[in-house]
Amino acid sequence: NQVIHKTVTNDRITGKIEITKKDDEKQPIANVVFEIKNEKGEVVDTLTTNEKGMATSKALDKGKYTYKEISAPAEYIMDSTEYEFEVKNVGQLVKKTVTNDRYRGSLAIVKVDEENNPIKDVKFQILNSEHKKIATLTTDKDGKAEIKDLLPGKYYYKEVSAPDKYVIDTNEYEFDITLEKLQLTKTVVNKLATGSLKIIKIDKETKQPIEGVTFQILNENKQVIETLVTDANGITTSKQMPLGKYYYKEISAPDKYIIDSKEYDFKLDKNAEIVEKTVTNKSVELPVTGGFISTNTLIVIIVAIVSVAGFVIVKITMNRKNS
């Protein structure tokens, strides 16, 4: 009997895994490291992505495996989840795409006045490192505005509008989002827009300046907020006052002038505005009554005549008694 021997070989079943690593904008990420483990938890391969974000394992025997990211560039959030895959067929290529989110930061702007009160409706532009606008923010009732999803890098913020009663700060301010400090808060103070009142006091007839005239400045509620006195040039200027409606009123003047006790209103509408008011005063000197003799002179003459007449009458009366 003849025995025939045959040797039969089986191809070993092996396959590979190909991992593609991309960021949250679908761009490839190089230098991401993965570990491949078998069912026993043993590391059987270590992969590092290339400039195309790709890495391919060595040949892996048939079976179940896991892959896990163990390091990534600093600007990316590492995904430490362990994912399963299985090699079943000869020459199998298991393809996996993994996405890494980049670290992102935020800027919160808090807008207040000089007394730390929040300011609503202030607009800011956010600029990138090339000074190009990337966003516009508007503060809410709490004076807050926030921008999120800023990648690490250099930025600027700039105020572009504010309520009329405030002075806009048009400077650009730099800020940096870094991996060490992703959340930033900037408190920005706005100064109130202010203006002033300038009063020029002159004689109505001669147009000469009047020194020593006192005025009161009143706010919209008619409350006295300042007292002013004209100088030798007849001029007085108020302190800086917030925009709004005000009044001024003359309360005293040199004796030879008639005081104008009326209240006059004025408005400050824009920053650094100087409202100028020229005010005249009439002299209280008595008018001339006929010819060139003034009333005062006439009174003196009359008194003198009456005195002389009285003396004459008394003298005549005494002479008659003596006779």
Side-chain angles (χ1 to χ4, degrees):
N1 293 329
Q2 185 179 4
V3 177
I4 299 173
H5 295 275
K6 294 288 185 181
T7 302
V8 181
T9 60
N10 278 52
D11 288 335
R12 188 175 181 180
I13 298 175
T14 61
K16 297 180 180 181
I17 183 170
E18 179 185 273
I19 299 175
T20 301
K21 195 68 173 178
K22 294 184 178 181
D23 65 20
D24 44 18
E25 292 186 350
K26 309 302 182 184
Q27 297 301 308
I29 309 173
N31 299 317
V32 181
V33 180
F34 291 89
E35 276 186 347
I36 310 299
K37 292 183 180 180
N38 62 21
E39 286 185 280
K40 296 178 182 179
E42 299 168 333
V43 176
V44 296
D45 202 0
T46 301
L47 315 179
T48 302
T49 57
N50 60 21
E51 68 277 0
K52 294 181 179 180
M54 300 177 69
T56 305
S57 73
K58 66 183 183 181
L60 302 171
D61 290 334
K62 179 181 179 181
K64 293 182 179 180
Y65 296 87
T66 61
Y67 65 92
K68 179 183 178 181
E69 185 176 327
I70 59 171
S71 75
E75 64 267 31
Y76 295 96
I77 301 171
M78 196 169 72
D79 180 1
S80 57
T81 305
E82 199 168 63
Y83 297 96
E84 294 182 353
F85 70 99
E86 187 175 358
V87 174
K88 298 179 180 179
N89 306 309
V90 175
Q92 181 182 358
L93 181 63
V94 178
K95 293 185 177 183
K96 297 291 182 179
T97 298
V98 185
T99 301
N100 272 59
D101 289 332
R102 288 176 290 179
Y103 282 101
R104 294 175 184 266
S106 63
L107 171 69
I109 297 175
V110 181
K111 195 68 174 177
V112 296
D113 64 19
E114 293 173 294
E115 296 180 354
N116 208 38
N117 298 309
I119 308 174
K120 183 183 177 183
D121 294 331
V122 180
K123 291 186 184 296
F124 289 89
Q125 286 182 349
I126 306 301
L127 313 174
N128 63 17
S129 59
E130 297 175 347
H131 298 272
K132 294 180 180 178
K133 184 180 75 171
I134 59 172
T136 300
L137 311 179
T138 303
T139 57
D140 61 18
K141 62 181 179 61
D142 299 315
K144 295 180 180 178
E146 185 175 11
I147 181 171
K148 298 179 179 180
D149 295 328
L150 293 174
L151 294 172
K154 187 185 298 296
Y155 298 89
Y156 301 87
Y157 65 89
K158 177 182 178 181
E159 186 175 330
V160 292
S161 73
D164 291 340
K165 63 187 291 189
Y166 295 100
V167 180
I168 296 174
D169 181 356
T170 56
N171 293 314
E172 282 184 4
Y173 294 96
E174 179 183 320
F175 67 98
D176 291 289
I177 299 293
T178 65
L179 296 177
E180 294 75 26
K181 197 163 187 179
L182 291 169
Q183 282 77 42
L184 299 178
T185 299
K186 298 290 185 180
T187 298
V188 185
V189 179
N190 266 58
K191 293 182 178 181
L192 282 171
T194 60
S196 60
L197 172 68
K198 178 180 179 180
I199 297 175
I200 303 171
K201 193 69 173 178
I202 59 174
D203 187 296
K204 187 174 183 179
E205 301 298 331
T206 66
K207 309 303 180 185
Q208 293 301 304
I210 306 175
E211 183 180 4
V213 181
T214 304
F215 290 89
Q216 285 180 340
I217 307 298
L218 301 88
N219 62 20
E220 193 169 6
N221 298 319
K222 302 293 184 75
Q223 297 168 321
V224 177
I225 58 173
E226 190 177 7
T227 300
L228 311 175
V229 180
T230 56
D231 60 17
N233 297 312
I235 296 172
T236 184
T237 303
S238 74
K239 64 184 179 183
Q240 292 294 308
M241 300 178 288
L243 304 187
K245 185 177 181 180
Y246 296 89
Y247 301 87
Y248 65 92
K249 177 182 177 181
E250 185 176 327
I251 60 171
S252 73
D255 291 341
K256 65 182 291 188
Y257 292 101
I258 301 171
I259 297 172
D260 180 0
S261 58
K262 291 181 182 179
E263 284 180 359
Y264 296 94
D265 65 63
F266 67 98
K267 284 190 72 176
L268 297 173
D269 293 318
K270 57 186 177 181
N271 187 51
E273 180 179 16
I274 300 174
V275 174
E276 188 172 299
K277 297 291 183 179
T278 298
V279 186
T280 60
N281 271 63
K282 292 176 66 175
S283 172
V284 296
E285 288 184 339
L286 294 174
V288 175
T289 56
F292 60 90
I293 303 176
S294 68
T295 301
N296 291 341
T297 304
L298 187 60
I299 291 172
V300 172
I301 292 172
I302 292 171
V303 171
I305 292 173
V306 171
S307 298
V308 172
F311 175 78
V312 171
I313 292 170
V314 171
K315 189 68 174 176
I316 292 172
T317 304
M318 290 180 64
N319 288 336
R320 285 179 179 175
K321 287 182 179 180
N322 290 336
S323 302

